[in-house]
Amino acid sequence: WWPVAASAAGVPVLAHVHEAEDTQRRIIRAGLNAPLLAASRIVANSGAARDALLEVQPHLASRTEVVHNGVAGPEHPLEVLRRRRPGDPFQIAMVGRLSPRKGVDVALDAVGLLRRSGVDASLSVCGSVFPGYEWYEEELRERAAQPDLDGHVELLGYVRPTWPVLEAADAVVVPSTHQRGCAPEREQRESLRSRPVGRLPCLTSTQTGLAAAQLGRRKVLGQGRSEGVAPGTGTKHPKPNGSIPHMRR
């Protein structure tokens, strides 16, 4: 309620909205966003965040503007996507914190499916665990140690910068397991990281708001589970130009 207090004191209020949270009932979301009615200007970091806000507080439309999060580019030009031949190793990268909603387990299972289908796929994950989710990291490591993945998954922890990992990858995955409210601005941010290195990101989610992740002319949507990721990241003979077939939804 700081916006209300500041407005009452005659102080201009600038509010920043950075989550497109829409899992709660409409009346609850309207109440949670009610203090923003006292804001002079509102900055949302994605179209999805703006739309989620205006869905419950439409009177804020004239005061709300989208300013996307900036993504610092690499310090030097990176290598273009290498040309691959059938049977070559297929390296996949993911950048994201280790938590169930980020869908890291989905990525691991997808790589397992690819390997069982004959693709020499490997996965590198850049990201540390959220406090309280250490159990999830343990589950990921147990999954990575199973025969279909053993030696082909790297949980690298916190990595900065991530450009070397993305540069070495043939594809980048941005999975999500939430039906809604999975913060599509995060998908947008992580997918944008893959563009300077010429890797088309493979986005997987069942959330309708994921269309907020603008990927030039391509929007790659999947089912938010491994069966949706695997067809999008590779086939038995992945195309050498790095293109990703459109995944079914």
Side-chain angles (χ1 to χ4, degrees), residues 45-46 68 184-192 212-214:
N45 73 338
S46 73
H68 295 292
E185 62 276 2
R186 197 274 301 185
E187 276 81 1
Q188 179 185 32
R189 183 172 63 253
E190 301 306 339
S191 66
L192 288 174
Q214 299 296 327

Side-chain angles (χ1 to χ4, degrees), residues 17 55 62 84 95 101 106 203 219:
V17 177
E55 181 184 2
S62 63
R84 302 180 60 258
V95 179
R101 75 183 300 169
V106 175
L203 298 173
K219 296 184 179 71

Side-chain angles (χ1 to χ4, degrees), residues 21-33 52 55-56 180:
E21 188 62 51
D22 55 6
T23 57
Q24 301 291 336
R25 295 173 57 187
R26 183 185 181 90
I27 189 172
I28 295 176
R29 290 186 286 126
L32 291 173
N33 287 289
E55 181 184 2
V56 295
R180 305 187 69 191

Side-chain angles (χ1 to χ4, degrees), residues 209-234:
L210 189 54
Q214 299 296 327
L215 305 177
R217 297 183 179 179
R218 297 289 300 274
K219 296 184 179 71
V220 185
L221 302 177
Q223 295 179 304
R225 57 177 186 264
S226 57
E227 293 84 352
V229 181
T233 50

